[in-house]
């Protein structure tokens, strides 16, 4: 019978770090990654020599980019592996890192995500030509998925844009966010149309960055003298991919994965204090929030207007600014979500703190489609 | 014969471009035809046989693309998910410029159309347009 992460020995996030997400610069990817990793090591108060294995998440940098970076921390000969799962690369790397610690193969594992949009995304032909091949990039793919949702639920463009107002406001106080500016509704609506009725400020920007998370076992926490009051437990992890003949893959996948992690953690949607989800477009936040069960279908907008999803509301969504304001460099994104949840659950989020946060959900989808969910809890 | 005349002739003489889909021995119908394997049951090779689809369907969702890298298909253009009447849901181009193209809920038919309306020698692509009688304004 298959096991879940929670059947293995407990896994904890002990250190987090970032290189700010930003538009393409001249900085080599190595510099972005090293900053995030060193900050995570320092946050955990451990040495690089204690890290037993590394998962390097990247979708755009090309082959074998990990060691040229990791060697600068000290080339100790530990195993490393690269993880790619489109937008969900970072989430996938985090899951695998947790499984390695949970299974007892390692006590301390690094999950680092890094990317630079220096070259167009490449993919070999799958040998089956659809009618719109080449015309639909992942971006447009999500626009198609969410167009149907918006129409079906009669959501007005001005109301969807309120999600961007919230997320830009949250991102404005996140020093690692690509977009750190408060935006009015008028500013959001008046921008350049990018896809359908969605304007530029309602869509995730293109950018580079890095995020690192270190996970460890209880043994390692004790042995290395890690401060136990600052660790956060990974209570659940689930992953899935699109089924054949599925017309509503995005919603079904999210429902399935979120139901699985809530079940594993023995929680219900109303127990969630904070959610980081795949808000590449504003409409996606509505779509996935309803799919998680955090509010009934069709109720997101009225509750958003009442402040229910603000920092300080009943369930804070996208406290980091989300993909819209924090950004989506791809490799780092899922890992950066875990970092944000950790910050919040520790009570160290400063101005962005959602008070009393005890349970957080990280959700990502990726072209494929694939979907990941993780639940983090304050022990 | 110019591109424009050819397209108008298509419209008058054959209402919808048939599409070559596939059918698995398990019953699943899909588009386009391929023999790599059935995504419902995994059967491959000659368990998958070509089937002619009418090219008629209904638009499920639509997105207008404003930013695109390929110079042969300048934006704006519209893409859609179309549910063909035989069942498969496919991603496809919409044949008309975004302001005139089919909307979710519309019945559409497959036809050829120029990938670049501004170029007289443009490549022809397969896309979907509303299945409503159109006025033939010239030719």
């Amino acid at each position: 019978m298959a096991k879940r992460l929670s059947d293995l020995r407990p896994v904890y996030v002990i250190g987090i770090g970032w290189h700010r997400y930003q538009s393409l610069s001249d900085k080599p990817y190595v510099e972005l990654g090293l900053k995030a990793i060193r900050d995570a090591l320092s946050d955990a108060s451990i040495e690089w020599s204690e890290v037993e294995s590394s998962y390097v998440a990247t979708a755009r940098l090309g082959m074998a980019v990990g060691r040229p970076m990791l060697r600068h921390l000290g080339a100790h000969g530990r195993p490393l592996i690269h993880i790619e799962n489109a937008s969900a690369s970072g989430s996938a790397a985090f899951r695998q890192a947790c499984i390695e610690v949970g299974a007892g193969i390692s006590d301390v594992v690094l999950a680092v995500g890094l990317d630079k949009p220096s070259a167009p995304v490449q993919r070999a032909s799958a040998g089956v030509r659809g009618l719109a091949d080449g015309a639909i990039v992942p971006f447009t793919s999500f626009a198609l998925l969410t167009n149907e949702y918006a129409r079906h639920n009669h959501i007005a463009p001005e109301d969807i844009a309120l999600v961007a107002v919230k997320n830009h406001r949250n991102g404005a106080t996140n020093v690692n966010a690509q977009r750190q500016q408060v935006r009015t509704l008028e500013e959001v609506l008046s921008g350049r149309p990018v896809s359908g009725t969605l304007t530029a400020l309602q869509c995730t920007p293109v950018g580079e960055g890095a995020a690192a998370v270190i996970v460890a076992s209880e043994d390692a926490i004790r042995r290395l003298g890690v401060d136990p009051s600052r660790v956060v437990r990974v209570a659940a992890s689930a992953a899935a991919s699109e089924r054949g003949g599925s017309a509503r893959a995005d919603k079904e996948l999210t429902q399935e994965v979120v139901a699985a992690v809530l079940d594993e953690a023995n929680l219900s949607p109303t127990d969630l204090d904070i959610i980081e989800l795949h808000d590449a477009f504003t409409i996606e936040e509505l779509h996935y929030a309803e799919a998680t069960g955090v509010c009934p279908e069709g109720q997101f907008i009225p509750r958003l207007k009442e402040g229910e999803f603000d920092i300080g509301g009943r369930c804070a969504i996208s406290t980091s600014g989300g993909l819209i304001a924090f950004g989506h460099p791809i490799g780092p994104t899922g890992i950066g979500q875990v970092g944000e949840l950790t910050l919040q659950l520790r009570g160290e989020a400063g101005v962005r703190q959602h008070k009393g946060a005890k349970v957080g959900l990280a959700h990502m989808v990726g072209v494929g489609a694939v979907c990941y969910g993780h639940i983090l809890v304050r022990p | 014969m110019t591109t424009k005349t050819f397209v108008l002739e298509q419209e008058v003489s054959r209402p919808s471009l048939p599409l070559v889909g596939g059918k698995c021995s398990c019953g699943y119908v899909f588009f386009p035809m391929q023999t790599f394997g059935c995504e419902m049951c995994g059967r491959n090779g000659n368990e998958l046989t070509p089937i002619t689809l009418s090219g008629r369907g209904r638009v499920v969702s639509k997105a207008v693309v404003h930013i695109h890298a390929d110079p042969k298909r300048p934006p704006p253009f519209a893409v859609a998910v179309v549910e063909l009447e035989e069942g498969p849901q496919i991603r496809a181009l919409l044949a008309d410029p975004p302001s005139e193209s089919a909307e979710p809920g519309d019945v559409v038919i497959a036809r050829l159309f120029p990938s670049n309306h501004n170029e007289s020698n443009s490549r022809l692509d397969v896309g979907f347009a509303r299945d409503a009688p159109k006025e033939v304004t010239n030719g």
Side-chain angles (χ1 to χ4, degrees), chain A:
Chain A
M1 161 110 174
K3 292 196 164 105
R4 297 185 291 193
L5 185 71
S6 53
D7 295 318
L8 311 179
R9 56 180 199 163
V11 179
Y12 299 88
V13 173
I14 66 168
I16 61 179
W18 289 270
H19 182 292
R20 180 186 175 170
Y21 303 171
Q22 60 193 20
S23 44
L24 182 64
S25 76
D26 288 336
K27 276 191 178 180
Y29 75 83
V30 166
E31 198 175 329
L32 305 176
L34 288 174
K35 160 80 169 60
I37 299 170
R38 287 191 167 120
D39 282 0
L41 289 167
S42 150
D43 182 53
S45 297
I46 65 169
E47 299 296 321
W48 170 244
S49 53
E50 303 294 350
V51 175
E52 295 165 59
S53 147
S54 297
Y55 288 81
V56 180
T58 173
R60 309 189 67 159
L61 291 177
M63 187 162 69
V65 296
R67 219 195 70 81
M69 170 183 66
L70 296 177
R71 72 189 184 105
H72 295 293
L73 295 164
H76 300 306
R78 308 292 189 134
L80 75 146
I81 190 168
H82 303 84
I83 300 280
E84 182 272 309
N85 221 347
S87 291
S89 299
S91 311
F94 178 69
R95 174 172 161 82
Q96 297 308 124
C98 289
I99 290 172
E100 185 164 323
V101 169
I105 293 176
S106 298
D107 273 326
V108 185
V109 176
L110 166 72
V112 56
L114 59 160
D115 256 316
K116 286 179 71 76
S118 1
V121 173
Q122 299 273 54
R123 185 167 74 176
S125 164
V128 177
R129 272 202 69 85
L131 293 180
D133 284 4
I136 299 187
V137 297
F139 188 87
T140 309
S141 177
F142 284 110
L144 277 171
L145 289 169
T146 51
N147 170 263
E148 191 197 348
Y149 172 83
R151 287 182 41 84
H152 178 65
N153 288 289
H154 309 290
I155 313 255
E158 314 80 69
D159 286 345
I160 302 171
L162 291 171
V163 171
V165 173
K166 169 174 73 68
N167 293 0
H168 283 284
R169 184 175 66 235
N170 292 348
T173 53
N174 178 354
V175 299
N176 293 305
Q178 181 159 341
R179 292 164 157 169
Q180 294 179 29
Q181 202 173 335
V182 172
R183 300 286 190 176
T184 63
L185 181 62
E186 290 66 42
E187 280 177 279
V188 169
L189 288 170
S190 63
R192 177 170 76 133
V194 170
S195 187
T197 54
L198 297 177
T199 50
L201 289 173
Q202 296 188 61
C203 307
T204 187
V206 171
E208 65 180 27
V213 154
I214 301 172
V215 288
S217 62
E218 278 172 350
D219 284 350
I221 289 168
R222 263 193 301 273
R223 177 168 52 86
L224 300 173
V226 173
D227 181 352
S229 72
R230 291 181 73 243
V231 306
V232 163
R233 191 168 65 87
V234 185
S237 172
S241 71
E242 187 174 334
R243 291 179 200 281
S246 164
R248 301 270 6 117
D250 51 330
K251 181 177 172 183
E252 286 165 7
L253 272 180
T254 293
Q255 281 172 329
E256 179 188 333
V257 164
V258 174
V261 288
L262 286 172
D263 180 71
E264 182 179 349
N266 211 17
L267 296 168
S268 73
T270 50
D271 293 317
L272 296 172
D273 297 314
I274 25 173
I275 301 178
E276 288 276 299
L277 44 66
H278 184 278
D279 61 320
F281 298 101
T282 43
I283 186 69
E284 284 187 271
E285 183 165 309
L286 277 80
H287 194 40
Y288 300 131
E290 290 185 356
T292 62
V294 126
C295 74
E297 188 162 335
Q299 282 299 299
F300 186 91
I301 294 289
R303 295 187 185 201
L304 173 73
K305 288 177 173 173
E306 283 166 24
E308 193 163 310
F309 308 119
D310 289 349
I311 293 171
R314 191 175 69 80
C315 174
I317 301 181
S318 304
T319 57
S320 64
L323 273 61
I324 289 169
F326 191 179
H328 184 28
I330 306 190
T333 311
I335 294 177
Q337 287 182 332
V338 170
E340 172 69 10
L341 293 183
T342 300
L343 217 53
Q344 292 280 349
L345 294 170
R346 283 171 173 173
E348 293 177 1
V351 170
R352 244 182 22 265
Q353 183 66 51
H354 180 64
K355 290 187 173 53
K358 291 196 285 292
V359 179
L361 168 71
H363 159 272
M364 278 302 278
V365 291
V367 160
V370 293
C371 182
Y372 285 81
H374 287 92
I375 293 200
L376 274 66
V377 299
R378 203 165 67 199

